[in-house]
């Protein structure tokens, strides 16, 4: 039993809110209406970046007319060959005479493999029969990948879901729309939206989201996460002082504000960190991208004998295992080589400045290592 | 309650709240952290908390088991459903999720949570499969959610292509104070003892389970002598650890027994195989220009030059950079030269291909040329110097006489 609250109400309404897609909505409606009235076949191409709402809008528009025509969905990611896709199309052709609307999602997957048999068959049928083919893709150059015989059967209708010149005010207004509710029971919540957005922390975070991505779908996802986090802490009002902090946490959960490898590096043990610092020194001072495990171990022994004798180990095998652990954490490159572990080649996969910054935050850091870092900076 | 427990508790409730919501924007969660954090405990508590609600059912997928092919993964995912039919075959991901949807209607649940443990193994699949895996649940209006649990952040999963935009939860490593508190509640030893042992062991191990095991074993191995009980002071505890505990810690951490030298390994080789292995080692670690000097009789009058000395200084040691490949003709030449030198020519056969194949199978040689190259194959010796030297000594050969790194 879901507890009735303003947060759950907003989450339920959020699914039906689409921002900035009115033109695409009306154009799709126009295409479907024209197809129903004239009963002549045709085709169209829908292009837009990932997570721009193509599938949601198309499903919403097409299902409004599901009683008047047969709707067929074909996905290029799921169906791994043209034969499987043609089977779906053939089985649905059983009742001839009815209008058919075929939607091919990720149709660039059908373009890049095989001889484009599915697209040729569908587009050929759309010119002679009462079939409409809607090709949906995320690639901007997908029509240029088509063969000549397929491209000549494709019409020039193009619907673009790419948003052009979204300003920050539009972005803020969309965020306010996402937080708006239509139920009169929670009408007082709508009056708290503008003071919440005018907060300095929230505005700064909105600017960060706007600079990182201009996708309304990501903004919707952040809004949903924000509402879930509010529900987790049982906060129901935007006027709460905790709301801005929760919004920052929700934004950081989807778009990180710092390098995600930082938590991995801070999780290393002191011995692994020393090995990583030896890799940093090899890259910086010998100016080489590639080095072997043996060079790392030799450098590590020099460092340890001089600064930290308690970390000394007699067996190289232990250090080789630690280096393998660093490879599995993708801090070092893992390269397949069927030879001795000592001569295995590797390279550093994280930024040097990130490693040095993480070392300064590492706790507890021995003072001898601080001296080593000071020597390294000189 | 410490700060880390409060943070984990907050993340726990955030994950539970995200899993319970029915918005279609959130279908993928990514939980990551190394073994130094509290990721596994929190995920377990999330499962217990979510299962208390009858509206949510949980499936747990171990990616180590189902990571080799698409059909194995889909079939394994389908077999986890409570009402799955034994003989039914699942071909692709869409069929699996349709069956999940049917299962939700069957058991009157609302939300299905699929937890992908050890999600690093998903990287073995092509990106197209992962895109399909994480995009199909978006069609079901937020009623099917995927939770990937891994050690790596999501940016390492989509290095080449964009796969998904998950809600990420990072679990930081426990700090030293938090580890000490957790160990004090777990173990029944003296707090002073735990603190001193943690001071010693923390630099090489931060895993809470491993630390519990190591400290328990340290207590068990030394308590019979009464060292810990008699030396309760901090300084004496550190002294005792420095004398006896450090080597024991390494063995406990890696679960290793005493490693003894395998003398039986050398006796398995035949005489010609031993000579061949020594010749292969010399071929790998000597430049070809030195063959004339080491392996021919009457190689000419030696002339010393200053230029040669300068070249020697710039020459990088082969034992520093690793073994070099050599053709099989060079190996045969060195092998026959060694036989001549030790008067073994009549006792060993000249056909070395069977012996070379045997050494490759045993892991002493490594073929570096293509498999189809049967005319001039190249090999590399991957035996260590200590092993080769010991093998040569058993046959009365001083291998350093034939290596340019050790000769003046």
């Amino acid at each position: 039993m879901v507890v009735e609250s303003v947060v759950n109400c907003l989450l339920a309404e959020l699914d039906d809110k689409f921002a900035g897609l009115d033109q695409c909505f009306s154009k799709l409606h126009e295409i479907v209406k024209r197809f129903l009235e004239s009963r002549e076949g045709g085709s169209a191409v829908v292009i837009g970046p990932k997570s721009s709402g193509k599938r949601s809008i198309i499903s919403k528009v097409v299902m409004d007319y599901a009683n008047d025509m047969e709707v067929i969905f074909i996905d290029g990611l799921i169906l791994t060959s043209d034969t499987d896709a043609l089977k779906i199309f053939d089985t649905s052709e059983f009742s001839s005479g009815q209008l058919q609307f075929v939607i091919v999602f990720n149709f660039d997957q059908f373009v890049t493999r095989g001889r484009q048999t599915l697209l040729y068959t569908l587009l050929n049928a759309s010119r002679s029969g009462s079939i409409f083919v809607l090709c949906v893709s995320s690639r901007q150059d997908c029509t240029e990948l088509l063969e000549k015989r397929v491209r000549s059967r494709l019409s020039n209708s193009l619907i673009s879901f790419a948003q052009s010149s979204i300003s920050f005010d539009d972005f803020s207004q969309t965020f306010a729309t996402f937080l708006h509710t239509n139920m009169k029971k929670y009408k007082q919540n709508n009056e708290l939206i503008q003071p919440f957005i005018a907060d300095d922390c929230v505005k700064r975070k909105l600017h960060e989201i706007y600079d990182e991505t201009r996708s309304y779908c990501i903004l919707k996802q952040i809004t949903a996460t924000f509402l879930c986090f509010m529900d987790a802490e049982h906060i129901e009002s935007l006027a709460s002082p905790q709301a801005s902090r929760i919004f920052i946490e929700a934004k950081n959960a989807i778009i990180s504000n710092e390098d995600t490898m930082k938590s991995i590096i801070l999780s290393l043990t002191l011995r692994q960190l020393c090995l990583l610092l030896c890799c940093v020194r090899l890259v910086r001072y010998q100016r080489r991208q590639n080095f072997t495990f043996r060079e790392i171990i030799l450098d590590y022994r020099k460092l340890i004998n001089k600064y930290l004798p308690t970390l000394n180990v007699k067996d190289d095998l232990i250090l080789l295992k630690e280096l393998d652990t660093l490879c599995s954490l993708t801090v070092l490159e893992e390269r397949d080589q069927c030879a001795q572990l000592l001569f295995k080649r590797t390279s550093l996969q994280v930024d040097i400045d990130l490693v040095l910054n993480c070392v300064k935050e590492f706790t507890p850091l021995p003072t001898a290592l601080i001296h080593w870092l000071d020597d390294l900076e000189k | 309650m410490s700060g880390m427990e409060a943070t984990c508790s907050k993340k726990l409730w955030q994950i539970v709240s995200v899993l319970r919501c029915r918005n279609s924007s959130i279908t993928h969660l990514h939980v990551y952290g190394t073994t130094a954090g509290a990721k596994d405990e929190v995920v377990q508590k999330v499962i217990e908390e979510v299962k208390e609600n009858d509206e949510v059912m949980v499936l747990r997928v171990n990616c180590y088991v189902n990571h080799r092919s698409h059909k194995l993964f889909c079939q394994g995912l389908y077999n986890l459903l409570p009402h799955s039919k034994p003989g039914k075959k699942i071909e692709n991901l869409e069929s699996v999720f349709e069956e999940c949807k049917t299962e939700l209607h069957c058991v009157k649940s609302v939300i299905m949570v699929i937890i992908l443990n050890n999600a690093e193994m998903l990287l073995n699949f092509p990106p197209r499969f992962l895109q399909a895996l994480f995009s199909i649940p978006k069609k079901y209006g937020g009623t099917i959610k995927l939770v990937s649990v891994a050690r790596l952040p999501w940016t390492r999963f989509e290095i080449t292509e964009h796969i998904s935009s998950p809600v990420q939860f990072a679990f930081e490593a426990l700090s030293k104070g938090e580890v000490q508190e957790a160990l004090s509640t777990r173990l029944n030893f003296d707090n002073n003892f735990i603190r001193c042992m943690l001071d010693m062991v923390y630099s090489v191990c931060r895993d809470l389970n491993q630390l519990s095991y190591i400290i328990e074993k340290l207590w068990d191995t030394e308590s019979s002598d009464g060292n810990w009980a008699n030396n309760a002071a901090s300084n004496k505890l550190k002294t005792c650890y420095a004398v006896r505990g450090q080597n024991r810690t390494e063995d406990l951490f890696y679960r290793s027994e005493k490693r003894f030298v395998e003398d039986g390994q050398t006796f398995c080789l035949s005489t010609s195989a031993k000579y061949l292995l020594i010749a292969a080692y010399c071929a790998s670690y000597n430049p070809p220009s030195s063959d004339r000097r080491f392996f021919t009789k009457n190689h000419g009058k030696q002339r010393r030059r200053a230029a040669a000395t300068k070249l020697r200084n710039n020459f990088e040691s082969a034992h520093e950079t690793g073994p070099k490949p050599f053709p099989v003709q060079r190996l045969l030449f060195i092998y026959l030269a060694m036989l001549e030198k030790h008067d073994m020519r009549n006792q060993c056969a000249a056909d070395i291909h069977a012996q070379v194949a045997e050494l490759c199978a045993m892991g002493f040689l490594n073929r570096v040329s293509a498999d189809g190259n049967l005319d001039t194959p190249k090999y590399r010796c991957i035996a260590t110097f200590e092993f080769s030297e010991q093998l040569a000594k058993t046959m009365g050969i001083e291998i350093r006489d034939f290596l340019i790194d050790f000769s003046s």
Side-chain angles (χ1 to χ4, degrees):
Chain A
M1 183 60 191
V2 177
V3 182
E4 192 65 34
S5 66
V6 62
V7 166
N8 288 279
C9 174
L10 282 171
L11 280 169
E13 289 181 2
L14 194 60
D15 261 342
D16 292 326
K17 291 175 179 174
F18 297 102
L21 301 174
D22 297 331
Q23 188 180 357
C24 304
F25 203 82
S26 59
K27 196 180 277 191
L28 276 171
H29 266 296
E30 180 187 329
I31 283 177
V32 177
K33 280 178 188 173
R34 198 191 316 140
F35 173 60
L36 287 176
E37 288 167 0
S38 65
R39 302 184 74 89
E40 288 180 1
S43 58
V45 179
V46 178
I47 293 176
K50 282 182 183 292
S51 300
S52 59
K54 302 189 293 295
R55 192 185 288 257
S56 304
I57 290 288
I58 290 168
S59 302
K60 188 178 173 61
V61 168
V62 167
M63 285 308 163
D64 287 345
Y65 302 91
N67 296 322
D68 302 322
M69 61 190 183
E70 187 183 2
V71 182
I72 302 161
F73 290 98
I74 295 174
D75 198 322
L77 286 177
I78 296 169
L79 302 168
T80 55
S81 68
D82 287 12
T83 310
D84 296 336
L86 281 171
K87 281 178 187 174
I88 294 182
F89 181 59
D90 289 338
T91 52
S92 64
E93 210 173 6
F94 185 75
S95 61
S96 63
Q98 193 181 359
L99 296 175
Q100 288 178 321
F101 202 92
V102 183
I103 304 166
V104 188
F105 290 112
N106 294 296
F107 88 100
D108 50 289
Q109 300 286 333
F110 292 114
V111 169
T112 52
R113 64 178 185 236
R115 296 176 57 250
Q116 305 178 9
T117 309
L118 170 78
L119 294 174
Y120 181 78
T121 306
L122 287 176
L123 294 173
N124 211 24
S126 71
R127 290 173 68 91
S128 59
S130 55
I131 297 171
F132 197 93
V133 182
L134 194 67
C135 304
V136 188
S137 177
S138 303
R139 292 184 66 152
Q140 302 297 312
D141 59 341
C142 55
T143 52
E144 299 172 16
L145 302 173
L146 295 170
E147 292 179 4
K148 186 167 59 175
R149 62 191 176 118
V150 181
R151 194 187 306 131
S152 62
R153 285 164 169 81
L154 190 64
S155 71
N156 292 325
S157 299
L158 185 76
I159 303 173
S160 178
F161 273 67
Q163 306 283 342
S164 59
S165 70
I166 299 173
S167 65
F168 180 69
D169 290 337
D170 297 332
F171 210 70
S172 299
Q173 188 59 41
T174 304
F175 185 53
T177 306
F178 287 158
L179 292 174
H180 191 273
T181 179
N182 295 322
M183 294 183 66
K184 296 183 178 179
K185 183 178 177 182
Y186 305 108
K187 194 172 183 180
Q188 62 172 359
N189 175 76
N190 297 336
E191 300 167 4
L192 303 171
I193 294 172
Q194 289 302 327
F196 176 70
I197 292 178
D199 190 82
D200 281 340
C201 294
V202 175
K203 182 171 283 187
R204 199 183 322 120
K205 284 297 165 182
L206 270 180
H207 257 295
E208 287 182 18
I209 301 168
Y210 177 71
D211 293 333
E212 181 80 25
T213 173
R214 306 215 170 159
S215 173
Y216 285 139
C217 290
I218 301 293
L219 182 61
K220 183 190 279 190
Q221 191 177 354
I222 291 171
T223 308
T225 309
F226 165 62
L227 295 171
C228 289
F229 285 6
M230 292 264 282
D231 189 45
E233 299 194 26
H234 306 292
I235 294 171
E236 293 193 3
S237 175
L238 291 177
S240 171
Q242 312 280 341
S244 56
R245 174 185 58 82
I246 293 171
F247 181 71
I248 291 169
E249 289 177 5
K251 182 261 173 186
N252 292 338
I254 295 180
I255 300 175
S256 297
N257 59 339
E258 60 186 15
D259 201 320
T260 50
M261 287 301 290
K262 183 177 180 179
S263 62
I264 301 293
I265 294 174
L266 290 176
S267 301
L268 301 176
T269 61
L270 188 60
R271 184 159 64 189
Q272 290 166 356
L273 192 70
C274 291
L275 288 165
L276 186 57
L277 285 173
C278 295
C279 301
V280 167
R281 190 159 89 152
L282 283 170
V283 170
R284 176 175 276 193
Y285 286 95
Q286 301 195 14
R287 301 191 182 186
R288 289 191 290 126
Q289 289 295 314
N290 295 305
F291 35 84
T292 60
F293 279 9
R294 190 173 186 275
E295 288 167 338
I296 302 171
I297 288 172
L298 287 179
D299 209 49
Y300 174 82
R301 292 201 181 278
K302 289 176 193 171
L303 162 71
I304 290 307
N305 288 332
K306 186 176 179 182
Y307 292 99
L308 279 169
T310 55
L311 276 185
N312 199 4
V313 287
K314 299 171 185 174
D315 200 346
D316 276 352
L317 193 59
I318 293 172
L319 296 178
L320 291 171
K321 288 182 178 180
E322 298 279 27
L323 288 170
D324 263 348
T325 304
L326 292 178
C327 286
S328 68
L329 291 173
T330 68
V331 177
L332 297 179
E333 181 190 359
E334 188 149 18
R335 228 184 274 189
D336 290 333
Q337 179 174 321
C338 49
Q340 307 174 41
L341 268 181
L342 270 178
F343 298 112
K344 188 176 179 180
R345 304 191 72 84
T346 187
S347 65
L348 198 62
Q349 296 289 294
V350 288
D351 199 22
I352 290 174
D353 292 332
L354 175 68
V355 177
L356 295 177
N357 288 331
C358 289
V359 169
K360 295 190 175 76
E361 295 186 27
F362 192 86
T363 52
L365 193 66
T367 53
L369 207 58
I370 297 174
H371 296 332
W372 187 83
L373 282 171
D374 293 338
D375 295 342
L376 188 68
E377 297 288 344
K378 293 173 185 174
Chain B
M1 176 178 284
S2 64
M4 178 54 74
E5 289 184 11
T7 305
C8 288
S9 179
K10 190 171 75 169
K11 283 186 190 292
L12 163 72
W13 287 109
Q14 284 176 351
I15 296 173
V16 169
S17 178
V18 169
L19 288 179
R20 278 179 183 164
C21 91
R22 303 182 205 178
N23 192 266
S24 64
S25 296
I26 303 173
T27 54
H28 179 203
L29 278 78
H30 186 66
V31 181
Y32 70 97
T34 59
T35 55
K39 172 196 65 174
D40 295 323
E41 288 87 8
V42 171
V43 169
Q44 185 63 38
K45 286 177 187 173
V46 162
I47 293 169
E48 292 164 5
E49 186 65 39
V50 162
K51 272 185 172 177
E52 285 181 6
N53 197 336
D54 287 333
E55 294 185 345
V56 184
M57 71 177 298
V58 181
L59 301 181
R60 275 185 267 188
V61 182
N62 193 344
C63 296
Y64 272 120
V65 179
N66 305 296
H67 76 277
R68 271 163 301 184
S69 72
H70 308 170
K71 293 189 177 179
L72 259 180
F73 185 84
C74 298
Q75 193 72 48
L77 189 52
Y78 172 72
N79 291 339
L80 291 176
L81 297 174
H83 294 87
S84 64
K85 304 177 182 65
K88 184 161 187 176
K89 293 200 174 178
I90 297 296
E91 289 294 325
N92 51 28
L93 280 169
E94 195 174 25
S95 309
V96 178
F97 286 114
E98 288 296 324
E99 294 294 333
C100 292
K101 192 66 179 177
T102 309
E103 185 73 26
L104 280 176
H105 291 148
C106 209
V107 302
K108 301 294 189 296
S109 291
V110 177
I111 292 171
M112 176 181 283
V113 176
I114 301 173
I115 297 180
L116 308 165
N117 283 314
N118 301 305
E120 294 98 347
M121 307 312 290
L122 294 177
L123 290 169
N124 294 328
F125 290 110
R128 207 187 80 249
F129 182 83
L130 296 182
Q131 284 174 7
L133 173 67
F134 291 113
S135 69
I136 292 173
K138 286 177 180 152
K139 298 194 301 182
Y140 299 103
T143 56
I144 296 179
K145 294 183 189 303
L146 298 170
V147 182
S148 53
V149 183
R151 289 185 296 168
L152 305 174
W154 188 250
T155 48
R156 296 286 165 165
F157 278 73
E158 45 182 27
I159 294 176
T160 55
E161 290 189 38
H162 172 82
I163 294 174
S164 173
S165 294
V167 184
Q168 295 196 59
F169 294 92
F171 283 89
E172 314 288 335
L174 301 175
S175 67
K176 194 176 179 183
E178 289 152 1
V179 171
Q180 188 170 337
E181 285 183 28
L183 286 175
S184 298
T185 57
R186 279 198 189 190
L187 308 171
N188 295 324
F189 303 129
D190 184 40
N191 280 339
N192 199 32
F193 174 75
I194 290 176
R195 186 172 53 81
C196 290
M197 291 302 107
L198 192 61
D199 284 344
M200 295 301 151
V201 184
Y202 190 72
S203 57
V204 299
C205 176
R206 294 177 71 173
D207 192 347
L208 195 58
N209 295 319
Q210 293 264 33
L211 283 168
S212 304
Y213 173 76
I214 289 171
I215 292 176
E216 278 183 6
K217 285 295 181 179
L218 283 174
W219 177 269
D220 289 342
T221 53
E222 301 294 336
S223 64
S224 57
D225 299 338
N227 283 333
W228 306 129
N230 293 337
N231 301 304
S234 304
N235 298 331
K236 295 187 177 179
L237 274 176
K238 291 188 177 180
T239 306
C240 287
Y241 179 81
V243 169
R244 309 174 73 163
Q246 188 166 14
N247 292 330
R248 185 69 177 149
T249 302
E250 304 295 345
D251 295 340
L252 291 170
F253 181 66
Y254 286 110
R255 309 286 202 270
S256 62
E257 300 295 331
K258 295 288 184 179
R259 284 183 291 269
F260 52 92
V261 181
E262 281 268 1
D263 282 331
Q265 206 173 16
T266 60
F267 299 132
C268 294
L269 296 174
S270 58
T271 304
S272 56
K274 288 178 182 176
Y275 276 105
L276 196 62
L277 184 54
I278 296 167
Y281 190 86
C282 297
S284 264
Y285 287 92
N286 274 338
S289 56
S290 66
D291 286 350
R292 187 164 177 267
R293 170 185 167 185
F294 288 122
F295 300 113
T296 55
K297 302 175 182 177
N298 304 322
H299 57 274
K301 183 179 180 180
Q302 292 189 16
R303 303 177 218 163
R304 296 202 180 92
R305 293 174 184 173
T309 308
K310 288 181 182 177
L311 285 178
R312 176 67 61 85
N313 291 335
N314 289 330
F315 176 72
E316 197 171 16
S317 170
H319 287 81
E320 297 278 336
T321 59
K324 298 292 196 297
F326 54 87
V328 73
Q329 286 89 357
R330 185 169 168 233
L331 175 64
L332 180 61
F333 162 71
I334 297 175
Y335 171 70
L336 292 178
M338 281 196 163
L339 293 182
E340 286 288 337
K341 190 173 292 249
H342 296 91
D343 287 330
M344 299 287 290
R345 185 66 179 84
N346 296 323
Q347 304 182 31
C348 299
D351 188 4
I352 60 173
H353 295 289
Q355 304 287 345
V356 165
E358 186 180 352
L359 289 177
C360 284
M362 292 176 71
F364 290 121
L365 295 187
N366 177 31
R367 177 200 283 260
V368 298
S369 58
D371 284 341
N373 191 352
L374 297 177
D375 294 323
T376 56
K378 280 176 176 279
Y379 295 95
R380 179 169 52 194
C381 181
I382 55 179
T384 58
F385 173 69
E386 290 81 15
F387 179 79
S388 304
E389 189 178 29
Q390 183 188 347
L391 180 69
K393 274 180 180 172
T394 60
M395 305 172 66
I397 299 173
E398 184 61 46
I399 201 173
R400 290 170 186 257
D401 295 341
F402 301 100
L403 293 173
I404 198 169
D405 290 342
F406 300 97
S407 65
S408 60

